[in-house]
Amino acid sequence: MDDHLLGWLRTLDEDRLGRVLANRPDAIAPPWPRRLDMLAQRLGNGFAVMESMRGLPLPCLELAQACLVINAPTPATVSALLGAPVEETAPWLDCLYDHALAWPDADGVIHLSEAVSRWWAAPLGLGEPLDHYLNSWTISNDALRAMARSLGVPPHGNKRRTIVRVTEVLGDPARMEAMLANAPEGTRHLLESFAWDGPVRGVEGGRFVLPGTPEKWAADHGLLYRPRWDLAEMPREVALCLRGPGYHPPFTPHPPEVATIPIDPAEVDHLMTLAAPHVVERCAAILDNTSKTPLPLLKTGGVGVREVRRVAKETGCDEDETRLLLEVCAVARLLAWDEQSGGMVPTDRFDRWRLDEGSARLRVLLSAWWRMERSSLRKVDGKYGTVLGDDQSGSSVARVRRAVLTGLAHLPSGTAFADRGSLVRNVHWHAPLLDQALLAECAAGVVDEARLLGLLANDSLTDLGRALAGLAAHAGDENDDAVPMVEHDPVLVGASTRALASVRRSALFGPDLTAVVTGPPSSELAALLDRVAERESRGAASVWRFTTESVRRALDNGYEADELLEELSGVGSIPQPLEYMVRDVARRHGEVTVTTVGCVVQAGDPALLAEIAGHRRLARLGLRLLAPTVLVSSEPAERTLAVLREHGYSPVPVADTGEIAIRRTRVEDRQGGKLILLPGGQVAELSEMDDPAHLIPEPGPDPHEHARRLVASSGQGSQAGRTWAVIGRMASRLPTAQQSLLGFVVDRGVRAGITLTDGLTATISHGELRGSALDAWCEEAGDYLEFPLAEIVEVRATY
């Protein structure tokens, strides 16, 4: 814990401390800290500090680097180094304070969190301070005195005083210029290369021991130091002197402007209402396709291009759309690897997902895309990566996706970005810790994916995209089964409901055996029409055409004529030609049956069977007439069925029992895969518990309420040193080993399970002694509770 940070926290009022906690929700995550010293520990946690830094804009990081290269920095000295007025740097310095990444002491000196200091090995391209080199064990007292004589500094006195004198000389630009006037030729060029392109550079070690060389002269005067024979470093003060008094590090308080063009918001909204239902419908179609034909994986991992194209062709999807939705479905746990099927198949969660309302289904898909750790449409060297394959960038891709959408959300309403380059520069200003090359590489793919999902239209965010962009802090990671904070967010719920408000649940049936849906069809309507008709067009209006083959396909899948007509009449008025065609196909359907023997073909009409037996184009089946109503085929039943249907007959398969063997394919009857294949080759096991996507998240802790409580308790201290005496005396029902474990709950905050005299059990941690009671965090209650020590009858380790 940083004592300077704790001292600063004690000076804050409720409002300022509340701002810090609002910007650092990790610090008040359950179990929340009860005192300021515990809060300081959390605020200084290295991992939490780095996550907080990822959300800071570029000016904050430029200020932090400037603070790192100044000895005892203050707002005035930092502003002077950056060449900016104090009024311009003050808001960004306050931003660092509000995130507890920096804080001022009583004298106004700025202190940085230790984790922030560790992030930059060479802030502003500068090396370690001179003190670091001069105090090193590699510099002997004799070498230090020799250096002092070379600089014209009196060598007498202790080592500390000599170091101070040497530092004063090497940090003075005037003295540095006077020294360089007498340096060997080429010294200035050598030193400037280190000052601007260093601080560490490879060198030729032999030149550092050769008299008269610039390298040896620079080393003798303390301007360069060699940690290795072929490597040299330049101290920070020397580099700043060489850069000159006019040097100012970059400081960009204003974000780069994004080139924009005006657009029609009504058209953006309209395009969103077309794209959103299409996403839900296409996901259902892809998952239905994989339920019939499991999706195999390559030996090297992932789904092959041939399989992606097959699924795209069979479902009517675009290839890019198929790539994206397959990966989204895998992250959403709707698609999984099934060992028995030998491929990817829909999971049980898909059965529940398809029963949800359309907006809920859409949010599950958007939430999965929001946390997906790869970009489906990102091109590397002009090629897409393997679907569900490995991606070394991992979570960085998810951060890029969220940063791009957040950057788009900053654009004014009614405008669209006109230049992707300016958008990338603006996003980098808002998220400077992102890999700039990865950002430029992924930006195009993120934009294309957002457009397919209805989050972007005409290069402007839709209401759906803006709602999702506001949830960047709650996105979760790819290993999460669900993220309730996203899927149940009220703003996203409202936007998804509006996006699907225009879906059509009815069709216009024409006498020309077509069905027209004037708008985006609901997934249920599209699935029904896909089962019984051929889709001819998509877009603002979708058209299906009924044919003898399409109706027969529905009957082959287990529909009866009356059942089929009843479902169609539920979505529109059926014209007589369509009803006649359905009943005519149904009347002929099953007039020929096929039994697997080799196989046997039967019919009630001897003339019909004689016609089949004498059909010249059916000769390849090797048909033989055994009886007036029985034929034998030399081909298997599946082959015989296909050839008969190809030539206009309507046979049905018959089981060995003599019953017609048509069964409608139902996803509910299929056992879903247990192993989940995630993008990147990761495998996770599905939980047998209820789907966590339906759990309503608890509201987050109120930072201002915690600030009020912490300020009120700032004068209280812990009872350190009395733990074992109190527990040994008061928890008399416990054996010695369990008393020790309870002591670790108090002194080290470990997690343990306890049982009380009335049989109640609790999982506790972060305990404190309050007289004869233990005040500890109770996981079951989600709060701190008091447990009388005398009533604790058992303490057990919990992992």
Side-chain angles (χ1 to χ4, degrees), residues 44-47 49-50 53 68 112-122:
N45 179 272
F47 292 106
V49 167
M50 290 315 305
M53 284 180 64
L68 286 173
L112 292 176
S113 172
E114 184 180 348
V116 175
S117 305
R118 287 199 304 265
W119 176 257
W120 287 283

Side-chain angles (χ1 to χ4, degrees), residues 537-725:
S537 67
R538 303 174 186 274
S542 301
V543 179
W544 282 262
R545 182 170 297 279
F546 295 88
T547 65
T548 302
E549 291 75 16
S550 65
V551 173
R552 186 176 62 207
R553 183 178 64 233
L555 298 176
D556 288 341
N557 287 330
Y559 275 97
E560 299 292 339
D562 290 338
E563 181 185 10
L564 186 58
L565 290 170
E566 182 180 354
E567 289 196 19
L568 291 174
S569 63
V571 297
S573 178
I574 301 178
Q576 277 191 344
L578 176 57
E579 182 178 357
Y580 287 163
M581 188 185 75
V582 170
R583 294 198 181 279
D584 182 60
V585 174
R587 178 179 56 79
R588 298 185 58 202
H589 190 258
E591 62 186 0
V592 177
T593 64
V594 176
T595 303
T596 302
V597 175
C599 61
V600 176
V601 181
Q602 297 175 306
D605 185 358
L608 175 61
L609 212 55
E611 174 191 328
I612 293 174
H615 201 303
R616 285 184 300 172
R617 294 188 179 180
L618 299 178
R620 52 183 165 168
L621 294 178
L623 298 172
R624 290 181 297 132
L625 192 62
L626 296 185
T629 58
V630 180
L631 277 175
V632 174
S633 172
S634 60
E635 295 289 335
E638 292 79 8
R639 172 67 174 160
T640 303
L641 283 167
V643 174
L644 288 174
R645 287 170 179 167
E646 181 182 341
H647 290 86
Y649 297 98
S650 300
V652 294
V654 175
D656 295 341
T657 60
E659 298 178 353
I660 292 178
I662 290 179
R663 294 289 183 271
R664 184 184 310 176
T665 302
R666 296 182 184 275
V667 179
E668 294 82 3
D669 298 333
R670 178 194 49 75
Q671 294 298 318
K674 295 296 182 183
L675 296 180
I676 301 300
L677 178 72
L678 300 177
Q682 301 177 69
V683 177
E685 187 173 352
L686 275 178
S687 171
E688 296 297 330
M689 299 173 63
D690 290 338
D691 189 349
H694 298 284
L695 301 177
I696 303 299
E698 293 289 334
D702 182 1
H704 294 282
E705 180 182 337
H706 282 285
R708 192 178 308 113
R709 175 182 54 79
L710 286 165
V711 169
S713 64
S714 59
Q716 301 176 8
S718 62
Q719 302 178 0
R722 299 182 54 237
T723 302
W724 305 103

